[in-house]
Amino acid sequence: MNILVFLETSEGKIKKTSLEAMAYAHGMNGVTTAIVLGKADAGDLQTLGKYGAAKVLHAADTKLDEPIIQVYSSVLAHAMQDEKADVLLLANSSLGTPVAAKVAIKLGASFASNVTELPDTSSGFTVKRSIYTGKAFAFVELTGAKKVITLKKNAAELKETGGNAPVVNYTVPLNEADFNTKILKTEKATGDILLPEAEIVVSGGRGMKGPEHWGILEDLAKALHAATGCSKPVSDMGWRPHHEHVGQTGVKVAPQLYIAVGISGAIQHLAGVNSSKCIVVINKDADAPFFKAADYGIVGDAFEVVPKLTQAILASK
Amino acid sequence: MKILVCISHVPDTTSKIAFTDNNTKLETSGVQYIIGPYDDYALARAVELKESSGASITVLNVGLAETEPTIRKALAIGADEAIRVNAFPTDSLFVATQIAEQAKNYDLILMGRESIDFNSGVVHAMVGEILGIPSVSPVMKLDIDGTKVTMTKEIEGGKEQVESNLPLVAGCQEPIAEWKIPNMRGIMSARTKPLKIVEPKGIEAISINKKFELPAPKSAVKMISADNVVELVTRLKTEAKVL
């Protein structure tokens, strides 16, 4: 089986979620070609061999520096044909998922997003995907000759398998008509750990009583090298920006550790965190429903418990 | 301007999910159905555009007769007419194909960023691809000036300002507009607004839902004293192995 993996970059650096797609491809035992579009760190391209690529395609045309979905999907559809690839793998993201869907239409390929595990190929090709916002899973058989799959975070564990792969300059004619949307401006939190990709998340709810109290959560997040999140009421009241809202209608996270402070645990919030490996709930209300969904719980005042927890973490390092 | 708003008919966000028929069907008893929350934002923005610039709104749903109360609610909120494509929405490709069939004469096609049942989040991209027009999602702000459309789109850890032209497909999310609650006049007039039923375009299914599964039940929470946060740190390291 020939597998093409699209690796997404952020300021030229390859994203970790994309490396998970490499690990997934490795688990499928196919021949893997990695493809990177636009500006990319040369060192990062070199390391892809270690993650299982037999070959790395780099389309370095500066017109690809901006991630325009229509343009990227045309390039990837082209590469699928050039490489005679059977499967295209991508990480779920605001870029990867729509690009994948468009490639699937262009190629008449079977499509599945939010895939959480390696495919079952014992009879046919069946993937497991997350549905009902993490409340359930579906087993979906992909019957098309070509398949396009986007992966939910943690679908495969990162693995360095050794090996070197040649980095090949990939040129493809770009279609002017694909530049039908223009990116005027990008505003992005820089230097911070991005919430959808974080391994540890510290979230605050209404129990934090006001935006001026977020400092203690930020200190805890810093000690843990974590991203900060919040509940819906908190972003609705403007205490925190919308892109930090975790829940059914916000960001769905899947970290190793999720620490919820002063969040009661409405079912809509739980839907955004139920893929977390371990959940810690800190709430002064012992009856908060979130405790039922937690692995560890502390009943106590956030303003006392959180600074103590930060100290304990710093002391344990 | 003609706006098409595509809505999904989904279990409300507080629903407990369970399956029946050997885990091949959703257990629907006790489930309350609603307009998909993201679709509701799309509809709300369409109603605002109608109020500010006199657009007409058609609401579209791919679903069987059971979805009609949901469609009537969208009419009560402010859509002028409705189309129901008479088929169960089996997968994204099927739904996108049906929408594209109906969408050819519209300037703006709005829908939610994803449906909250199957969460694929790609119908807008597929419709755009099939029709050969731009698609943008998830859109938090959308303004139209002539045929020029400026949008704010959420990306990981931030946002992007994007410009494109009509005709266009947008997948919407908050805070693009405030949800609208139908008033009595809207509910009365919704009963007589036209609802057209069309048969689906047949396509070959290339992704098939075989069965469903619920996540493994969570083990009981371990409570730790607020005076002993050190124990929490130890347990996170040695027991949960997440630090």
Side-chain angles (χ1 to χ4, degrees):
Chain A
M1 194 180 326
N2 291 329
I3 305 169
L4 184 70
V5 178
F6 166 64
L7 294 117
E8 207 176 309
T9 55
S10 173
E11 273 121 60
K13 301 295 285 178
I14 287 169
K15 287 192 170 185
K16 186 178 162 256
T17 45
S18 290
L19 292 177
E20 287 178 3
M22 290 297 299
Y24 188 97
H26 185 72
M28 284 173 67
N29 277 325
V31 179
T32 304
T33 302
I35 183 163
V36 180
L37 309 184
K39 191 177 94 178
D41 184 278
D44 274 17
L45 293 174
Q46 288 295 339
T47 61
L48 291 172
K50 264 198 287 198
Y51 290 100
K55 181 167 70 177
V56 179
L57 302 178
H58 181 211
D61 192 325
T62 53
K63 282 188 173 160
L64 297 171
D65 286 353
E66 284 206 323
I68 297 174
I69 287 162
Q70 196 68 44
V71 178
Y72 273 35
S73 60
S74 291
V75 173
L76 291 183
H78 215 278
M80 282 291 283
Q81 272 151 350
D82 284 350
E83 295 300 312
K84 299 187 173 53
D86 309 292
V87 178
L88 173 65
L89 288 177
L90 313 86
N92 265 354
S93 75
S94 63
L95 173 68
T97 311
V99 164
K102 284 172 180 283
V103 174
I105 297 286
K106 287 179 200 289
L107 301 176
S110 288
F111 173 82
S113 62
N114 280 322
V115 169
T116 59
E117 277 175 24
L118 280 170
D120 175 358
T121 53
S122 56
S123 115
F125 189 107
T126 302
V127 292
K128 183 176 179 180
R129 60 183 303 270
S130 170
I131 58 170
Y132 293 105
T133 323
K135 291 182 198 167
F137 297 97
F139 292 88
V140 185
E141 187 177 2
L142 304 181
T143 56
K146 288 190 189 294
K147 298 162 182 73
V148 177
I149 297 170
T150 75
L151 305 176
K152 194 167 169 170
K153 189 166 169 288
N154 296 338
E157 206 164 320
L158 273 198
K159 247 187 238 136
E160 290 193 27
T161 52
N164 276 309
V167 178
V168 183
N169 190 24
Y170 183 63
T171 50
V172 55
L174 300 179
N175 181 359
E176 269 313 309
D178 283 344
F179 290 83
N180 56 15
T181 50
K182 263 202 301 226
I183 300 172
L184 302 177
K185 197 164 89 184
T186 304
E187 290 170 46
K188 213 165 157 179
T190 50
D192 291 330
I193 303 136
L194 297 182
L195 180 62
E197 294 153 17
E199 293 301 339
I200 303 179
V201 175
V202 175
S203 256
R206 248 185 307 202
M208 293 304 295
K209 299 199 173 105
E212 67 276 17
H213 297 133
W214 239 256
I216 57 168
L217 295 184
E218 279 161 355
D219 290 345
L220 176 60
K222 206 171 157 204
L224 288 165
H225 202 61
T228 53
C230 67
S231 64
K232 186 170 192 297
V234 165
S235 79
D236 283 352
M237 290 183 290
W239 293 1
R240 302 296 295 173
H242 182 266
H243 63 80
E244 287 193 7
H245 158 206
V246 173
Q248 176 124 29
T249 56
V251 179
K252 286 89 180 167
V253 296
Q256 293 286 306
L257 174 59
Y258 186 80
I259 302 178
V261 184
I263 302 177
S264 62
I267 194 164
Q268 293 92 338
H269 186 76
L270 298 185
V273 305
N274 52 19
S275 303
S276 308
K277 188 172 170 217
C278 178
I279 296 177
V280 173
V281 169
I282 299 168
N283 204 303
K284 67 174 183 191
D285 175 9
D287 295 326
F290 212 155
F291 283 117
K292 289 202 182 75
D295 296 282
Y296 301 101
I298 292 181
V299 178
D301 184 347
F303 300 103
E304 284 167 27
V305 176
V306 172
K308 275 201 266 178
L309 182 57
T310 308
Q311 286 308 318
I313 283 157
L314 291 172
S316 75
K317 280 189 175 167
Chain B
M1 184 170 61
K2 288 181 72 182
I3 306 175
L4 183 68
V5 179
C6 309
I7 60 166
S8 55
H9 162 87
V10 293
D12 87 30
T13 54
T14 60
S15 301
K16 278 223 158 38
I17 299 300
F19 299 104
T20 165
D21 282 19
N22 217 2
N23 284 329
T24 58
K25 282 201 179 75
L26 180 73
E27 172 59 74
T28 54
S29 72
V31 171
Q32 189 84 7
Y33 281 87
I34 55 167
I35 300 174
Y38 295 115
D39 308 324
D40 227 350
Y41 287 115
L43 180 60
R45 184 65 188 127
V47 172
E48 285 179 357
L49 289 168
K50 175 181 165 179
E51 283 163 359
S52 65
S53 64
S56 72
I57 304 172
T58 305
V59 65
L60 170 70
N61 169 259
V62 180
L64 299 170
E66 72 226 19
T67 71
E68 289 196 5
T70 303
I71 298 173
R72 290 281 174 207
K73 189 178 169 210
L75 290 170
I77 288 171
D80 301 295
E81 54 172 19
I83 302 170
R84 179 170 69 81
V85 179
N86 187 29
F88 186 79
T90 48
D91 67 7
S92 309
L93 175 63
F94 180 79
V95 173
T97 305
Q98 307 314 324
I99 293 172
E101 274 296 293
Q102 304 300 325
K104 290 188 178 96
N105 296 315
Y106 290 86
D107 305 294
L108 181 63
I109 301 150
L110 299 179
M111 63 187 79
R113 60 174 289 175
E114 65 189 66
S115 68
I116 61 161
D117 50 2
F118 286 88
N119 304 108
S120 286
V122 294
V123 169
H124 35 77
M126 287 183 165
V127 170
E129 186 64 33
I130 295 169
L131 293 175
I133 60 175
S135 64
V136 180
S137 177
V139 177
M140 304 162 74
K141 190 171 186 296
L142 179 144
D143 292 300
I144 299 174
D145 181 9
T147 62
K148 196 170 84 181
V149 189
T150 44
M151 288 158 281
T152 306
K153 167 185 153 179
E154 187 162 72
I155 56 172
E156 286 74 16
K159 49 197 176 181
E160 231 172 51
Q161 225 182 71
V162 179
E163 184 185 285
S164 195
N165 286 293
L166 297 176
L168 169 114
V169 188
C172 304
Q173 73 169 30
E174 64 193 319
I176 192 166
E178 293 266 345
W179 280 340
K180 302 221 180 307
I181 296 158
N183 57 26
M184 195 41 79
R185 218 180 88 215
I187 294 167
M188 298 302 286
S189 67
R191 292 185 192 160
T192 52
K193 284 179 179 173
L195 193 169
K196 187 169 81 175
I197 297 161
V198 299
E199 290 307 312
K201 181 183 175 184
I203 59 163
E204 189 200 346
I206 49 174
S207 83
I208 300 142
N209 281 314
K210 302 296 258 194
K211 64 175 169 130
F212 303 111
E213 186 183 275
L214 293 174
K218 201 119 184 150
S219 52
V221 58
K222 296 188 181 84
M223 296 306 291
I224 293 167
S225 159
D227 300 322
N228 199 4
V229 292
V230 174
E231 187 194 338
L232 174 63
V233 177
T234 310
R235 281 179 181 261
L236 290 176
K237 281 195 169 170
T238 57
E239 198 173 64
K241 296 186 170 63
V242 291
L243 281 187

